[in-house]
Amino acid sequence: MTNQGTKEWRRVCARSDKWGEENDCTVKALAIATNSTYEKAHGALALRGRSYRKGTSMGRVFDTLKDWGYTVKTEYNRFDIERSERWKDEDMTNSFITDIHEKANKWRRSRWAKARTIKSITKHLPKRGVFLIETSRHVLCVRAGEVHDWTDGRRHRITDVHRIIKEAKRDD
C-alpha cells in the first residue's frame, strides 16, 4: 500500500484536515468502521467527553459503538497473554487467574497471535469483517481484509484486536 492509503482513509483525513484536528485516530477508525462520516464520529465522541485535538480512551469508542447498535468482541489481547505468563505459577483456585489463563490460551492459538505487527497482519486478516486494532498509542480500522490507516506496512506492535459487529434491528 502506498502512503496515500485507501479511499476511506483519504476521505476521513481530508475531513480531519478541514477541521484542523490532531490526535484523532479514534475518530477516523470509528468513522471507517461504521461507514459513517467523520463529523458524525467526531460529534459522538465529543458528546462522550473527547476534547478537541486530544486523544480519547477506547472505552468511549466502545460506548459510542454500543449507542449506534454495534457489539464489540475482543479477539486478541496481548496484555492478558503476558499477564498469564507472569502468573503461570500462581494458585489456580483463584477464578480470576483461571479466567486469564483460559483467555490467554485461546488467544495464543488465534490467527492474531501470529500477526504481531501491522506489517505482518495482512497475511492473517480475514476477508470479511470489521476490526479495530490497537497498538500502544494508536487505533486503526481493518475492513474487508484491508488496513485503512497510515501505519499500513509498518512494524507497529499490535496489542488488541476488536471485532465490530452490527446488531440486527429488532421489531418491538
Side-chain angles (χ1 to χ4, degrees), residues 82-144:
E82 292 172 356
R83 188 166 42 175
S84 172
E85 292 294 322
R86 286 194 307 268
W87 292 348
K88 65 183 172 191
D89 298 329
E90 293 291 324
D91 180 19
M92 293 302 285
T93 59
N94 183 331
S95 64
F96 176 74
I97 293 175
T98 304
D99 288 345
I100 294 295
H101 283 294
E102 288 174 8
K103 285 181 186 176
N105 287 335
K106 181 185 92 174
W107 287 331
R108 277 188 197 98
R109 294 186 304 269
S110 74
R111 72 172 63 208
W112 306 104
K114 297 176 185 122
R116 296 185 185 275
T117 65
I118 304 302
K119 182 177 183 175
S120 65
I121 199 171
T122 53
K123 294 181 278 190
H124 305 286
L125 284 174
K127 298 300 178 208
R128 298 176 62 164
V130 179
F131 301 89
L132 290 180
I133 297 179
E134 293 182 62
T135 64
S136 63
R137 299 181 51 85
H138 188 63
V139 179
L140 60 126
C141 180
V142 171
R143 186 182 188 102

Side-chain angles (χ1 to χ4, degrees), residues 20-125:
E21 264 289 7
E22 294 177 355
N23 300 317
D24 61 343
C25 62
T26 52
V27 177
K28 292 173 183 173
L30 180 63
I32 293 170
T34 60
N35 203 23
S36 64
T37 64
Y38 177 87
E39 286 78 9
K40 181 180 176 184
H42 190 276
L45 288 174
L47 288 174
R48 288 263 174 211
R50 180 187 178 271
S51 298
Y52 180 68
R53 300 181 89 180
K54 303 281 186 191
T56 192
S57 69
M58 286 304 290
R60 290 180 176 152
V61 174
F62 296 155
D63 290 342
T64 302
L65 285 165
K66 185 178 177 187
D67 289 347
W68 289 358
Y70 289 85
T71 302
V72 179
K73 180 183 175 204
T74 300
E75 297 282 341
Y76 176 78
N77 184 307
R78 189 188 82 207
F79 178 70
D80 278 353
I81 292 173
E82 292 172 356
R83 188 166 42 175
S84 172
E85 292 294 322
R86 286 194 307 268
W87 292 348
K88 65 183 172 191
D89 298 329
E90 293 291 324
D91 180 19
M92 293 302 285
T93 59
N94 183 331
S95 64
F96 176 74
I97 293 175
T98 304
D99 288 345
I100 294 295
H101 283 294
E102 288 174 8
K103 285 181 186 176
N105 287 335
K106 181 185 92 174
W107 287 331
R108 277 188 197 98
R109 294 186 304 269
S110 74
R111 72 172 63 208
W112 306 104
K114 297 176 185 122
R116 296 185 185 275
T117 65
I118 304 302
K119 182 177 183 175
S120 65
I121 199 171
T122 53
K123 294 181 278 190
H124 305 286
L125 284 174

Side-chain angles (χ1 to χ4, degrees), residues 8-21:
E8 291 85 357
W9 175 249
R10 290 191 307 269
R11 174 181 57 90
V12 295
C13 284
R15 301 309 296 168
S16 174
D17 291 345
K18 181 183 182 294
W19 287 93
E21 264 289 7

